[in-house]
Amino acid sequence: MDSIIRNIITLGLPTLMLLIARVATGKTGDAATWSALRKIGGSFGMLIGLGVLVFVGFVANYFSYFVVDSLLVRFYQKRRELEQPEELVREVDKLPITNDLKIKLKWALLHSNNQIISLKHVILKWFMLAAIVNALLSITGYLGEFNLFFELSSHFKLQYLLAGLPIFIFFALVRSKKIWLLVSAFCIILNLAEIVPWYFPAPAFAGETPGQNLRILHSNVLTNNRRYSEVISLVKTEQPDIAVFVEVSTVWAKELAVLSEIFPYSSNLQESERFGSAIYSKLPLENTSVKAFSKQRKSLFADVKFQGKIISLILVHPTVPIKQQNFIDRNKQLAGIGEYAAQVKNPLIVVGDFNTTMWSPFYKNMVKTGNLRNARSGFGILPTWPTFMPLAYIPIDHFLVSKEIGVLKIRTGRNVGSDHLPLITDLVI
């Protein structure tokens, strides 16, 4: 019986994942299966998708041992407090379970000190559970197109990597548990593959070109942040050519108006008392307009004159994907941004708080459709949110540029009271 339950768990989880992926493709027959495997494999392809399913089954198998055996042992230990162990042993002999599990149950019943579980055993079990959770979270992000919670799990690649390192070290020391060493190594490799490319290759433009670079500062100021002077001070210190802001409340809009002394050109969008966007520029702004990529938050558009060229700039702030409807709307906005970017003929900069990381499948589709690249490439992942919880830092603020634009440098600015760190980038056409 325990063997059947283990097989159901082992085969059930990867089968369920494949079925969900098949349904999401909207196809039928073999085409649905191949498409589902490609979806599961993400940017790595169909074979990796198949490998992911095999790995999930592998982890589920070991998890089934942990669950089934532990529950039965605990069940008989509780009964031992009220019944004679000899009678329970005879009962165990009659159970339709494997001999290995029978031996384990008998040992638990006949050893009175078994309830005092050794510290080593407890630590081992917790590390096994941590390895399982880390493996599942590392994988589910690749299924983000199918579910809100899967997509949310895609954003914490750095955290999964950092969590995987002590797990790997532990199982490297506990040499009898080689299978868990492989599981933890798999998690490290999987997350490293998503993080390391952001540090390599080196940026195409290694040095600055005096007088020819374009500096842009972006800041989500946070509607209830009251440290107005710190934001203004940051702008004056960094001396950007263009400063853009999102989550601009009506109060923030009044406070930021002082920047008009530095920036003669500006464009503002106030959607509500709490939310708005603003562009301040030392360079002339033309064709300013508002773009609606979905029913919710709108985006600011402007053409900027720079060195005799026209650069198009889009300031975006998609909705926070916590609720299902907002999740759908944010994804629609990202798709719309990608489609619009593909049609823009000028060099293009798309900047803002995207409420997603580079590891989201919706982000990947957007940059692929729009022929865009993240200015972070070669400079690291540069997490920007949340400042109130550094261990959970993830990169959700982005500068995306078209191929005509080179990135000299990109970095985070100092904390100015918001839950986001500012981003400052130096670009060259």
Side-chain angles (χ1 to χ4, degrees):
M1 182 64 71
D2 57 311
S3 179
I4 294 174
I5 294 173
R6 290 192 189 104
N7 288 335
I8 290 173
I9 295 174
T10 301
L11 298 175
L13 185 57
T15 300
L16 179 62
M17 288 176 62
L18 183 60
L19 287 175
I20 293 173
R22 277 176 57 94
V23 171
T25 63
K27 299 178 182 179
T28 58
D30 292 341
T33 302
W34 305 132
S35 296
L37 288 173
R38 281 193 292 271
K39 287 287 186 183
I40 293 171
S43 58
F44 297 104
M46 185 177 66
L47 288 178
I48 296 300
L50 181 61
V52 167
L53 290 180
V54 171
F55 179 78
V56 168
F58 171 77
V59 173
N61 178 260
Y62 277 84
F63 182 68
S64 70
Y65 276 90
F66 181 76
V67 171
V68 175
D69 293 13
S70 297
L71 287 176
L72 275 174
V73 167
R74 186 64 179 163
F75 172 71
Y76 275 99
Q77 282 181 336
K78 282 292 185 183
R79 288 183 59 186
R80 188 185 183 283
E81 297 173 5
L82 302 174
E83 302 177 50
Q84 291 298 319
E86 291 78 9
E87 294 180 5
L88 293 175
V89 167
R90 286 193 289 271
E91 179 182 316
V92 167
D93 277 326
K94 297 177 183 179
L95 291 176
I97 57 178
T98 59
N99 288 330
D100 288 342
L101 185 53
K102 286 181 180 180
I103 292 170
K104 187 179 292 186
L105 291 174
K106 289 178 183 179
W107 192 90
L109 290 168
L110 296 175
H111 290 74
S112 59
N113 293 329
N114 188 63
Q115 291 183 9
I116 305 175
I117 303 174
S118 68
L119 179 60
K120 180 180 178 180
H121 179 76
V122 171
I123 293 174
L124 180 62
K125 290 295 184 182
W126 276 108
F127 268 93
M128 290 167 62
L129 183 60
I132 291 169
V133 171
N134 200 35
L136 290 176
L137 290 175
S138 296
I139 291 170
T140 53
Y142 295 105
L143 303 175
E145 287 186 87
F146 311 132
N147 182 275
L148 163 62
F149 299 104
F150 286 174
E151 200 266 347
L152 289 175
S153 72
S154 72
H155 304 317
F156 301 92
K157 297 297 183 181
L158 178 60
Q159 285 77 5
Y160 302 150
L161 174 63
L162 296 177
L165 291 173
I167 296 173
F168 176 81
I169 293 171
F170 175 82
F171 286 115
L173 296 174
V174 183
R175 299 186 179 183
S176 60
K177 300 296 180 182
K178 292 182 179 180
I179 196 67
W180 294 105
L181 182 65
L182 293 175
V183 171
S184 54
F186 172 83
C187 291
I188 290 174
I189 293 170
L190 188 66
N191 292 303
L192 271 177
E194 295 288 356
I195 293 173
V196 170
W198 290 100
Y199 294 85
F200 301 98
F205 295 83
E208 293 191 13
T209 308
Q212 295 185 16
N213 59 304
L214 175 68
R215 174 169 291 184
I216 304 178
L217 181 148
H218 164 264
S219 178
N220 178 323
V221 294
L222 182 64
T223 54
N224 58 2
N225 178 21
R226 296 295 178 262
R227 290 158 64 175
Y228 311 113
S229 61
E230 293 194 36
V231 174
I232 303 300
S233 174
L234 176 69
V235 174
K236 291 181 177 179
T237 300
E238 296 294 344
Q239 297 184 341
D241 299 290
I242 301 173
V244 298
F245 307 93
V246 296
E247 216 162 296
V248 177
S249 65
T250 51
V251 176
W252 264 106
K254 293 177 182 177
E255 295 291 337
L256 290 174
V258 69
L259 292 176
S260 297
E261 299 172 3
I262 306 172
F263 302 93
Y265 307 96
S266 64
S267 177
N268 302 82
L269 167 64
Q270 200 65 51
E271 296 190 73
S272 67
E273 185 178 347
R274 287 178 54 82
F275 288 97
S277 304
I279 301 174
Y280 285 88
S281 176
K282 295 177 181 178
L283 304 167
L285 300 178
E286 298 180 348
N287 303 320
T288 56
S289 61
V290 174
K291 303 294 182 185
F293 297 113
S294 72
K295 293 181 179 179
Q296 298 194 37
R297 295 184 192 168
K298 298 177 176 64
S299 302
L300 265 178
F301 175 90
D303 284 333
V304 181
K305 277 190 174 182
F306 178 66
Q307 295 182 350
K309 300 182 179 70
I310 297 296
I311 303 169
S312 294
L313 174 71
I314 307 176
L315 175 58
V316 303
H317 187 200
T319 47
V320 181
I322 298 300
K323 297 180 180 180
Q324 183 64 27
Q325 187 54 49
N326 289 346
F327 175 66
I328 294 171
D329 188 83
R330 193 238 19 210
N331 298 338
K332 185 176 180 181
Q333 289 181 62
L334 295 179
I337 291 167
E339 291 168 3
Y340 184 80
Q343 301 171 13
V344 176
K345 304 302 181 182
N346 301 323
L348 175 65
I349 301 167
V350 186
V351 57
D353 169 9
F354 286 71
N355 277 312
T356 191
T357 65
M358 304 87 74
W359 303 298
S360 165
F362 299 103
Y363 166 91
K364 293 178 180 179
N365 289 337
M366 173 187 64
V367 295
K368 182 179 180 181
T369 302
N371 297 313
L372 300 168
R373 76 177 190 283
N374 200 310
R376 276 182 174 83
S377 183
F379 295 94
I381 61 174
L382 299 176
T384 56
W385 178 90
T387 55
F388 57 84
M389 197 182 299
L391 290 178
Y393 260 152
I394 55 176
I396 63 173
D397 299 273
H398 305 285
F399 276 96
L400 306 180
V401 297
S402 58
K403 62 182 180 180
E404 301 92 343
I405 299 176
V407 182
L408 296 171
K409 189 175 183 180
I410 184 170
R411 55 191 168 84
T412 54
R414 66 175 185 266
N415 191 333
V416 290
S418 172
D419 54 345
H420 291 249
L421 291 177
L423 268 183
I424 302 104
T425 185
D426 293 302
L427 305 173
V428 62
I429 308 302

